[in-house]
Amino acid sequence: MTCSTVLTGQDLAVAGGAPAPSVPVPQLEWSPCVRGSAFDCATAKVPLDYNNPSGRTIELAVAKRKATDPGRRIGTLFFNPGGPGGPGTVQMPQNYERFPREVRERFDIISWDPRGIGNSTAVNCFASPEEAADWSASKAAGFPVGEKERVAFIAAYKDLARRCEQRDPELLRHVSTTDTARDLDQLRRAVGESHLTYQGISYGTILGATYANLFPDKVRAMVLDSNIDPEAWTNHASDDNPRLTTFLRMGSDRTAAATLDQFLTLCGSTTTAHCAFSAGSPEATRDKFDQLMQKLRKHPVGAWTYAGTVADVVNSLYIVHPGWTDLAGRLQALWQGRVAEPSPLPPPPAVPNPNPYLGEEQGAAVLCGDSPNPRDPNVYHGLEEAAAARAGDAGRFWTWAVEGCSTWPAVAADRYLGPWNKPTAHPVLVVGTTYDPSTPYTNAQAMAKQLANARLLTHNGYGHTALINPSSCINTYTGRYFIDGTLPPSGTTCRPDTPPFSAPKPIGGATGGGGMAGTVS
């Protein structure tokens, strides 16, 4: 089966609604994730296919941190860390300190590895880690440069699709955003909440919007931070062969280019003591970056190729502190011809399996099955050149990020295609960052407009998600909203606590993870 297969199953654009009453509520048996851990873990059993609830079941790994002030506890806040492909049981504990203090005091915070991901019943298309590593090494890092690399890159993803179809084709058809929204409602029921309190970042915003329109009467409070435009995600509810990829429809290329330009401008506006890559002025620093990219095209520094470096640049723009400062140091090392040290990974949290397998096929299974992308691998080079003309190096990166979808072997059986404006029981709070390297501020504006009742809160700052790039102002508004439903005044704008290239106190970990080479995270 290819991506051109006609969608089968329930027409969710018309149907929607709650899961069939015959679906039993999962039983969650909580115990400390590991001895002495502040986090509790449980496993939920849910149907693979909600249209056949008595058929195959799958497991969801779930983690919880109890409210720190139980006497004033309000309820449970569910959190999705993005991706698609982000394992919540790992990333919620890593980023727990990022949640506003009053939210941690008054809510149990629960996250889970969505179906297909991480410690849950996972998509895994390889027989061993060595096989997965060999596959990864068969293609260029970042994106292909030149005809030879393009042929190998396309062949590698065709091979991945073949492997995935052989391993568990049934699972591939049931890892959609709609399936996960139904899982979320089952988890809500499992903890005894009558209404959902939810925070979703990045991909978690399209999950939240899907839930809000499948279960509009169940929404208590919902924060959607760094948004995906639902119309871009669904190709305007059309399965016709799309002209553009998901990320080009969203404008990820343009927003990455604008954020990179801010990085170089701010770097060039300070000294090398604050930004190692500074050339003394914004213009000189931008020229220096362009020269470095040209040099790397001809002469990689160790394993640092041009395309691999561009991928590192885009991903390193996600977290301002310490990401931007560390990135400047790596670029300066490459400029001097030295092999740059990659950023250290955040410390593993105290959970049973803090390093689950997170192969590219996990995020791909969600994104490719859910969101239409061009099905002819040969069109991606032309799309790349058009994106590069308007967005430079970042355009090349974001174009190839979903080339694997061109030959992906499954279309999701259940997809929600709209409408997006079903009136919810309570209004939704949408947060958008003005310089975000993957989800443009325009997508937050689109989300706020398309939902029936939503308020846009603007983070006039940098990086991917306001949660991971702290703003006390944003936290004050989101905390108040979660606790008593108070929305910020229309047009409210916040700033980050610490501007780029200064030194804040480091806390928490990273977001995203999993997925394809350039997934939203």
Side-chain angles (χ1 to χ4, degrees):
M1 169 165 78
T2 69
C3 280
S4 59
T5 304
V6 175
L7 182 67
T8 58
Q10 185 182 12
D11 181 1
L12 289 166
V14 176
S22 56
V23 180
V25 177
Q27 300 301 304
L28 298 176
E29 295 180 12
W30 297 103
S31 60
C33 291
V34 296
R35 198 168 176 177
S37 173
F39 295 90
D40 293 319
C41 285
T43 302
K45 272 197 166 55
V46 294
L48 175 71
D49 180 358
Y50 279 96
N51 292 318
N52 180 23
S54 61
R56 176 180 168 187
T57 60
I58 57 173
E59 293 188 340
L60 304 178
V62 190
K64 171 174 75 173
R65 178 73 183 262
K66 289 178 187 163
T68 59
D69 188 353
R72 297 169 66 235
R73 179 183 175 277
I74 293 171
T76 300
L77 167 66
F78 287 91
F79 172 67
N80 177 275
T89 63
V90 176
Q91 292 178 348
M92 183 274 282
Q94 282 176 332
N95 291 299
Y96 174 75
E97 298 294 332
R98 303 276 192 185
F99 292 94
R101 180 181 50 80
E102 60 273 26
V103 171
R104 287 180 274 133
E105 287 173 349
R106 306 196 64 183
F107 289 90
D108 297 347
I109 299 179
I110 287 183
S111 194
W112 75 107
D113 295 4
R115 54 173 61 212
I117 310 302
N119 295 306
S120 294
T121 299
V123 174
N124 183 345
C125 304
F126 298 98
S128 67
E130 293 74 26
E131 209 176 87
D134 287 346
W135 174 82
S136 196
S138 73
K139 62 183 179 61
F143 52 87
V145 178
E147 178 68 19
K148 188 177 170 188
E149 284 193 2
R150 283 194 293 275
V151 168
F153 199 88
I154 289 166
Y157 281 105
K158 217 176 257 186
D159 177 47
L160 180 66
R162 181 185 56 79
R163 291 170 185 266
C164 291
E165 191 170 27
Q166 286 173 349
R167 294 278 286 196
D168 192 345
E170 191 185 22
L171 181 61
L172 298 186
R173 296 181 67 247
H174 293 286
V175 291
S176 72
T177 304
T178 299
D179 292 315
T180 293
R182 296 188 187 285
D183 291 343
L184 175 55
D185 199 60
Q186 286 293 90
L187 293 174
R188 173 193 65 77
R189 297 170 72 201
V191 299
E193 294 285 356
S194 62
H195 289 78
L196 179 76
T197 302
Y198 173 82
Q199 181 158 1
I201 61 176
S202 193
Y203 165 77
T205 63
I206 200 73
L207 172 59
T210 300
Y211 183 97
N213 284 280
L214 286 176
F215 306 99
D217 59 327
K218 298 297 183 189
V219 175
R220 176 194 170 272
M222 183 175 279
V223 168
L224 306 180
D225 175 4
S226 282
N227 288 256
I228 294 173
D229 174 357
E231 294 289 353
W233 181 261
T234 60
N235 191 37
H236 299 275
S238 169
D239 276 336
D240 293 342
N241 194 15
R243 193 174 57 83
L244 297 175
T245 70
T246 303
F247 295 127
L248 297 183
R249 289 194 299 268
M250 286 167 55
S252 298
D253 55 331
R254 287 188 175 98
T255 195
T259 307
L260 174 58
D261 188 66
Q262 284 291 301
F263 167 86
L264 295 169
T265 297
L266 295 170
C267 179
S269 301
T270 189
T271 64
T272 52
H274 292 284
C275 179
F277 193 66
S278 176
S281 74
E283 189 178 5
T285 306
R286 285 194 287 271
D287 287 346
K288 182 178 175 181
F289 180 82
D290 290 341
Q291 287 175 48
L292 175 60
M293 294 303 110
Q294 292 298 329
K295 278 167 66 173
L296 288 171
R297 273 176 175 266
K298 297 184 183 115
H299 305 291
V301 178
W304 290 86
T305 60
Y306 156 69
T309 304
V310 171
D312 179 66
V313 167
V314 175
N315 287 315
S316 299
L317 293 172
Y318 278 42
I319 304 173
V320 174
H321 302 291
W324 285 28
T325 303
D326 290 352
L327 171 60
R330 286 197 295 283
L331 292 174
Q332 184 61 17
L334 293 171
W335 178 256
Q336 293 169 341
R338 293 183 288 113
V339 174
E341 288 297 316
S343 280
L345 294 170
V351 295
N353 185 16
N355 294 299
Y357 176 70
L358 294 171
E360 283 190 38
E361 66 268 34
Q362 294 184 1
V366 180
L367 193 147
C368 300
D370 226 39
S371 182
N373 280 278
R375 298 178 187 101
D376 177 359
N378 297 312
V379 306
Y380 282 77
H381 180 44
L383 292 174
E384 172 197 2
E385 293 305 325
R390 69 176 182 231
D393 302 310
R396 300 185 189 281
F397 170 81
W398 279 117
T399 300
W400 286 97
V402 289
E403 189 282 322
C405 291
S406 68
T407 49
W408 190 252
V411 172
D414 260 359
R415 288 185 300 157
Y416 185 77
L417 302 177
W420 299 98
N421 61 350
K422 292 190 185 172
T424 46
H426 297 95
V428 174
L429 180 57
V430 172
V431 181
T433 297
T434 48
Y435 290 101
D436 178 323
S438 65
T439 54
Y441 178 68
T442 51
N443 280 220
Q445 292 173 308
M447 179 70 88
K449 191 174 174 185
Q450 287 172 46
L451 295 175
N453 186 4
R455 178 68 46 85
L456 176 62
L457 174 60
T458 300
H459 180 225
N460 195 356
Y462 315 91
H464 186 50
T465 84
L467 180 72
I468 310 298
N469 294 285
S471 164
S472 302
C473 169
I474 295 281
N475 280 354
T476 297
Y477 285 118
T478 57
R480 195 177 298 157
Y481 166 75
F482 276 135
I483 287 164
D484 63 21
T486 304
L487 289 167
S490 290
T492 299
T493 297
C494 289
R495 293 192 171 277
D497 288 350
T498 315
F501 304 118
S502 44
K505 291 181 289 190
I507 60 165
T511 187
M516 300 181 74
T519 40
V520 171
S521 295

